[in-house]
Amino acid sequence: MKKLFLLLLLVFIHSCDKPEQIDHTRDTERFGLVANKAIVVSAREEASKIGLSILQKGGNAFDAMVATEMSLAVAYPFAGNLGGGGFMVYRMENGEKGSLDYREKAPLASSKKMYQDEQGNVTPEKTKLGGLAVGVPGTVSGIFAVHKKFGSLPMEEILAPVIDLARNGYVVTAHQAETLKKYSENFISENNDTILFAKSYAAGDTLKNPALANTLERIVKNGKKEFYEGETAKLMIEYLKVHGGIMTMQDLKLYQAVWRDPVTFNYKDLGIISMPPPSSGGIVMGQILKMAEPYPLEKYGHNSIKTIQVLTEAERRAYADRSFYLGDPDFVKIPSDTLLSDSYLKGRMDNFSFSKATSSKEIEHGEIAGYESMETTHYSIIDQFGNAIAATTTLNGAYGSKLYVDELGFFLNNEMDDFSAKPGSPNMFGLIGAEANSIAPGKRMLSSMTPTIVEKNGELWLTLGSPGGSTIITSVLQTILNVSEFGMTMQEAVNAPRFHHQWLPDVVLFETDSFDENLLDSLKLKGYKVNEGESMIIGKVDAIRVLPSGKLEGGADKRGDDTALGF
Ligand code: GLY
């Protein structure tokens, strides 16, 4: 009887802990920003502020997306961009869902072995630095596609505050000063010492980018054509020619963002909507969550040894499939339904045992009938009408290829590194690819970006995503589990320490000084190769949750300058 009472008490205490039951007005410590109607959360306060101002004017989440995306291009050149690409997942207030692919493409003059020498060895620098690393940018096509389909305010009105931000400047943060310093030698060696980013900037300085303000003004005036066929296009191609690039005016003219059906699957009572190929995000996250679903993670506990083992082993198997099966769906046939089917995934975990780590050498892709990385940036928006978007955008590496078109005011991506330059040769994130992700003219390189929206009982519940290359997928899924299984608030869930495994290299990464040494020792005894790395950060998640009251809670990751603002 006493035992039963204790058990009931434990169940009661535990259920009281669930954020759904917590009154956020009394337990403010645990919650991020709580707002009545709308929230924008992004990597920079300026971008969240401008996105929110568009909502306050009566604009919708899609208008705010355009404003936030472009504000990040101004105030967060580390990953925000005009010279890169991204993905967006949306859920309308009426439940309609969709996704937009504005991923970069390989230029028409590219070829399968373009990074290999005569002996077939890959020259890795060429995929990362300089003109050959640059894919055809998709971001500007992306914002115009969104605006055309869903926009409610004129582009001129949406971009006016962004142009002001570029012209009048933004204040450099301490994080930003650090990264600008870290890459300043690259900026000079890849460009010259007269470009805007060759100067040194300290925290508190105001950084103005009049060239970018002018480019944005021309885009407002001339539309998408300005970027893909106009003066901006010409200057970009001239610049690339001098820097060893192969992109042409024809490449730019042909570029189109593509609306795609999102990946949708269930995890317990949650309906998950995420990005389909050419991002691996939705499928790989779906595989991991569905492989983990039969295990009682809530009972095992957050970051307990059993939870870490289940997720690590599911990750090992899903990333092995990623490497073999996934690529641009316009070029390769992807068995998406099978990869996400219960029967296939059940079989994948058959050889998992809690007593010993599986070796990645024993795991290949299933038969069917890098690391300290915060590159890329994610923002989430829920508007006052109930529309939600999750958008992840990137230059790939920090400041992309480091090529900066000074006259235009933006960096160019090095997204070509996301292709498999040669089967078995790792990219900057250590990811290994195969034929499905080999280079071909006009093909999109495989991504890990995972903008995601989660429904609970058919209603909007979360919108989230993360930067972090290959660690994006594992960061997003751990954040979902932190709320759904482990009772955290949105803010707690994005801040919680994370770990990551990606099949190869066969190593489990843990955020520095965040996991108990005894736990790591126990994992080592079971055969796991553990890497805590120095100053290792895994992901930087920006998310929003709908509270049972209908109010919204923002989760702005503590790992950066990320900020949630709302009304
Ligand atoms: N460039 C990182 C990704 O797309 O996964």
Side-chain angles (χ1 to χ4, degrees):
M1 189 66 195
K2 203 169 153 193
K3 266 193 187 152
L4 184 66
F5 174 74
L6 273 175
L7 189 71
L8 287 173
L9 187 69
L10 273 174
V11 170
F12 175 71
I13 290 169
H14 192 70
S15 68
C16 282
D17 246 346
K18 291 241 169 193
E20 306 299 7
Q21 273 98 30
I22 304 168
D23 178 355
H24 64 84
T25 54
R26 287 205 220 130
D27 195 355
T28 47
E29 291 271 291
R30 292 186 57 190
F31 284 79
L33 171 88
V34 174
N36 288 328
K37 291 185 177 158
I39 290 189
V40 180
V41 51
S42 80
R44 286 286 301 209
E45 185 177 356
E46 295 83 348
S48 300
K49 209 180 231 170
I50 289 177
L52 197 76
S53 73
I54 295 297
L55 296 181
Q56 279 163 327
K57 278 185 151 187
N60 61 27
F62 302 96
D63 298 316
M65 179 209 158
V66 172
T68 309
E69 177 95 23
M70 288 296 99
S71 302
L72 287 166
V74 175
Y76 194 60
F78 183 78
N81 64 82
L82 269 71
F87 298 106
M88 187 269 282
V89 171
Y90 67 87
R91 182 188 185 279
M92 309 284 289
E93 165 271 327
N94 63 8
E96 186 190 318
K97 313 159 176 78
S99 75
L100 181 67
D101 163 1
Y102 51 104
R103 180 70 161 168
E104 299 92 322
K105 288 177 123 177
L108 293 171
S110 58
S111 58
K112 190 167 172 174
K113 297 189 177 172
M114 64 189 274
Y115 300 113
Q116 296 179 27
D117 63 18
E118 276 171 12
Q119 284 72 45
N121 299 317
V122 173
T123 321
E125 323 65 85
K126 285 195 181 164
T127 65
K128 298 179 188 69
L129 290 173
L132 268 192
V134 182
V136 185
T139 298
V140 175
S141 180
I143 60 165
F144 275 93
V146 167
H147 189 252
K148 187 170 173 198
K149 189 161 175 163
F150 295 117
S152 69
L153 297 178
M155 196 56 120
E156 194 177 355
E157 201 173 333
I158 296 172
L159 290 186
V162 184
I163 293 168
D164 281 352
L165 182 69
R167 204 170 290 293
N168 300 321
Y170 55 92
V171 176
V172 173
T173 66
H175 276 130
Q176 197 164 31
E178 205 179 295
T179 59
L180 286 170
K181 189 166 167 223
K182 182 169 167 189
Y183 294 103
S184 77
E185 263 180 38
N186 285 128
F187 298 155
I188 293 169
S189 63
E190 292 304 310
N191 300 280
N192 59 59
D193 61 6
T194 60
I195 64 161
L196 181 70
F197 287 92
K199 295 187 198 109
S200 65
Y201 295 95
D205 287 353
T206 297
L207 204 161
K208 297 181 184 177
N209 190 338
L212 184 50
N214 295 340
T215 300
L216 289 168
E217 268 173 356
R218 289 197 308 276
I219 288 174
V220 166
K221 186 162 164 242
N222 304 323
K224 183 179 116 175
K225 269 194 163 182
E226 170 59 33
F227 190 87
Y228 291 98
E229 295 177 59
E231 187 187 337
T232 303
K234 287 192 192 107
L235 287 169
M236 203 177 352
I237 296 301
E238 270 168 28
Y239 171 90
L240 269 169
K241 264 193 196 138
V242 177
H243 291 84
I246 52 172
M247 198 195 298
T248 63
M249 290 296 282
Q250 180 73 349
D251 282 306
L252 287 172
K253 192 173 173 191
L254 289 177
Y255 187 89
Q256 295 285 355
V258 183
W259 294 100
R260 298 192 188 272
D261 289 337
V263 167
T264 54
F265 61 92
N266 293 325
Y267 171 80
K268 298 188 176 173
D269 62 340
L270 305 180
I272 298 185
I273 309 153
S274 193
M275 199 62 215
S279 181
S280 62
I283 290 184
V284 174
M285 179 169 67
Q287 288 193 295
I288 298 166
L289 286 173
K290 285 168 87 62
M291 279 189 261
E293 192 170 359
Y295 298 87
L297 299 184
E298 184 181 4
K299 188 171 137 232
Y300 297 159
H302 176 246
N303 283 350
S304 65
I305 187 158
K306 280 191 153 178
T307 296
I308 292 173
Q309 279 191 272
V310 169
L311 292 180
T312 297
E313 296 299 347
E315 285 164 13
R316 188 193 308 280
R317 288 153 177 83
Y319 276 86
D321 281 354
R322 176 198 195 275
S323 158
F324 187 77
Y325 288 111
L326 303 190
D328 182 346
D330 297 341
F331 283 72
V332 289
K333 201 164 161 25
I334 299 173
S336 308
D337 290 346
T338 312
L339 287 170
L340 284 168
S341 72
D342 291 334
S343 55
Y344 173 72
L345 293 170
K346 189 173 172 303
R348 291 293 275 153
M349 287 296 266
D350 272 354
N351 60 350
F352 160 59
S353 148
F354 279 112
S355 57
K356 187 168 166 282
T358 313
S359 161
S360 285
K361 283 199 208 109
E362 292 161 24
I363 296 288
E364 285 185 24
H365 57 87
E367 293 301 333
I368 294 181
Y371 297 125
E372 183 198 341
S373 51
M374 299 205 305
E375 299 84 356
T376 304
T377 188
H378 175 85
Y379 55 95
S380 294
I381 302 175
I382 296 182
D383 69 18
Q384 63 276 32
F385 311 110
N387 303 306
I389 69 119
T392 314
T393 182
T394 192
L395 288 164
N396 196 23
Y399 305 98
S401 59
K402 309 335 181 232
L403 288 176
Y404 181 76
V405 197
D406 207 33
E407 274 175 284
L408 299 175
F410 59 82
F411 284 97
L412 294 167
N413 70 81
N414 59 354
E415 217 70 60
M416 291 296 283
D417 186 70
D418 269 343
F419 276 117
S420 172
K422 183 184 171 184
S425 175
N427 74 359
M428 73 163 83
F429 302 110
L431 289 167
I432 309 276
E435 189 53 36
N437 189 31
S438 62
I439 306 168
K443 188 175 177 184
R444 286 166 154 95
M445 53 297 281
L446 185 62
S447 170
S448 298
M449 290 191 272
T450 315
T452 298
I453 293 176
V454 183
E455 293 177 336
K456 192 169 189 160
N457 304 320
E459 300 289 327
L460 176 64
W461 191 47
L462 306 177
T463 168
L464 75 165
S466 177
S470 53
T471 69
I472 293 174
I473 304 168
T474 48
S475 299
V476 171
L477 78 92
Q478 284 173 72
T479 306
I480 296 172
L481 293 174
N482 287 347
V483 185
S484 70
E485 296 282 348
F486 305 119
M488 295 186 199
T489 66
M490 196 72 261
Q491 189 60 54
E492 289 171 328
V494 304
N495 285 351
R498 293 189 271 264
F499 60 94
H500 169 78
H501 191 280
Q502 60 179 46
W503 177 50
L504 293 174
D506 189 354
V507 172
V508 198
L509 302 179
F510 290 89
E511 287 193 292
T512 316
D513 296 333
S514 305
F515 289 80
D516 183 67
E517 282 307 316
N518 292 330
L519 179 138
L520 299 182
D521 287 344
S522 306
L523 284 167
K524 284 180 203 160
L525 282 175
K526 286 176 187 285
Y528 290 94
K529 293 179 199 86
V530 166
N531 181 350
E532 250 193 304
E534 219 175 281
S535 333
M536 187 165 341
I537 278 176
I538 298 179
K540 196 157 69 77
V541 179
D542 283 341
I544 308 172
R545 177 171 61 124
V546 182
L547 297 169
S549 61
K551 292 188 181 194
L552 307 173
E553 182 201 358
D557 202 310
K558 67 172 184 184
R559 294 163 180 80
D561 295 321
D562 304 51
T563 308
L565 295 173
F567 62 83

